Amino acid sequence: MRYTKNDIKNILLTEFMAALGEKPAVVYEGAAMYYTPYRDDPEPIFLVNTRTNIWHDYATDDSGGLKDLATLAMNPDVYKDPIEYILKMMNEYEQGKELSAMARRPQEPTVISLDIKKVKLTDFMKALGQEHPVAADGNLRIYNAPYDDKPGPTMVINTETNLWRDTKSGAYGGIYDLAYELTGSCNMSELNRYIASEMSALDKTKDKEQKIEPPKQEQKPDKPKRKMRL
């Protein structure tokens, strides 16, 4: 899965601790003791209440929730918003789990006839339901970002380089990077299948449009000419 801001309220502290690389040293009924993730303590004195989803630091007597923990754990020189830090850590954690699961699962070879590297991003956007850009400026095409919770005209495609960039988040790249933003998957086989299926649906739509021809108007038979009487 791919976490968004809407998922923040449902994230468990134990999952966030796992994303930080912390494992419980001791597990009780309804609680778990950890080594403090933002300090180098010799003993596990950081408690997570699994019933209330609240943590308590026995060294400082501080308590809080997910956002408070993220504020303490993140590097303020790198991150300014604890929400963004939470989402980054959780999404990287999920991606790691996906990769581990895929590595353990036997893979069948996937045959895809489409040369994905040659797919134009503007055609891929058509496959995603955006037939035309919101605006155009020279070789730049501006679209509503399809991966955003509240899509706005922040995604810019350069038709010469076939690359895109989001003016709000700073995300950028090629078609695989765009597919990652849409699916949250970093598995190449899954991305290939996703892109190919979207483009295949677009090709089928084009074929149907080409097959539908306007009805031919029936030509009325010419009236028989009157013969002249001699």
Side-chain angles (χ1 to χ4, degrees):
M1 69 172 292
R2 179 169 173 80
Y3 287 92
T4 66
K5 291 181 180 180
N6 296 330
D7 301 311
I8 293 291
K9 59 181 180 297
N10 299 320
I11 296 176
L12 299 177
L13 278 171
T14 50
E15 285 292 297
F16 185 58
M17 290 292 284
L20 294 176
E22 301 291 342
K23 295 181 180 180
V26 185
V27 177
Y28 304 101
E29 185 178 351
M33 295 296 299
Y34 293 83
Y35 287 92
T36 310
Y38 46 84
R39 216 175 38 239
D40 188 14
D41 291 332
E43 297 179 357
I45 55 175
F46 188 86
L47 179 139
V48 171
N49 189 319
T50 54
R51 291 177 178 146
T52 61
N53 209 35
I54 296 294
W55 58 269
H56 182 81
D57 186 340
Y58 281 100
T60 61
D61 206 29
D62 290 331
S63 298
L66 179 65
K67 187 176 178 181
D68 304 300
L69 176 56
T71 302
L72 292 170
M74 70 184 189
N75 185 344
D77 294 330
V78 179
Y79 302 98
K80 304 300 180 185
D81 184 359
I83 298 298
E84 289 184 4
Y85 177 70
I86 293 168
L87 295 177
K88 180 180 184 297
M89 297 305 296
M90 291 303 298
N91 282 323
E92 288 183 354
Y93 176 58
E94 288 297 324
Q95 290 164 23
K97 289 198 297 184
E98 287 178 11
L99 287 174
S100 297
M102 292 299 295
R104 292 192 299 268
R105 191 167 63 210
Q107 295 289 317
E108 294 182 2
T110 302
V111 179
I112 296 175
S113 58
L114 178 68
D115 189 349
I116 291 177
K117 292 181 180 179
K118 293 183 179 179
V119 173
K120 293 181 180 178
L121 283 173
T122 49
D123 287 338
F124 189 51
M125 291 302 291
K126 289 179 182 178
L128 295 176
Q130 297 197 46
E131 182 70 20
H132 303 289
V134 175
D137 182 10
N139 60 314
L140 303 180
R141 302 291 182 270
I142 302 169
Y143 293 85
N144 288 321
Y147 42 78
D148 203 325
D149 294 334
K150 297 178 181 178
T154 60
M155 180 184 168
V156 182
I157 292 176
N158 187 322
T159 56
E160 288 185 359
T161 62
N162 203 35
L163 297 173
W164 64 276
R165 184 176 184 86
D166 192 294
T167 57
K168 183 173 71 172
S169 68
Y172 65 94
I175 192 167
Y176 283 109
D177 302 285
L178 178 54
Y180 160 73
E181 292 292 333
L182 290 162
T183 64
S185 174
C186 56
N187 180 269
M188 190 60 71
S189 295
E190 292 181 1
L191 294 177
N192 280 331
R193 285 195 294 270
Y194 172 73
I195 296 169
S197 65
E198 293 294 331
M199 294 304 298
S200 175
L202 177 64
D203 291 338
K204 288 179 182 177
T205 303
K206 287 182 178 178
D207 290 341
K208 287 182 180 179
E209 290 175 351
Q210 290 174 356
K211 288 179 181 179
I212 299 174
E213 297 179 356
K216 295 181 180 179
Q217 293 183 350
E218 294 183 2
Q219 294 182 351
K220 295 181 179 180
D222 295 335
K223 291 183 179 180
K225 295 181 180 180
R226 296 179 63 183
K227 295 181 178 179
M228 292 181 64
R229 291 182 181 178
L230 298 175

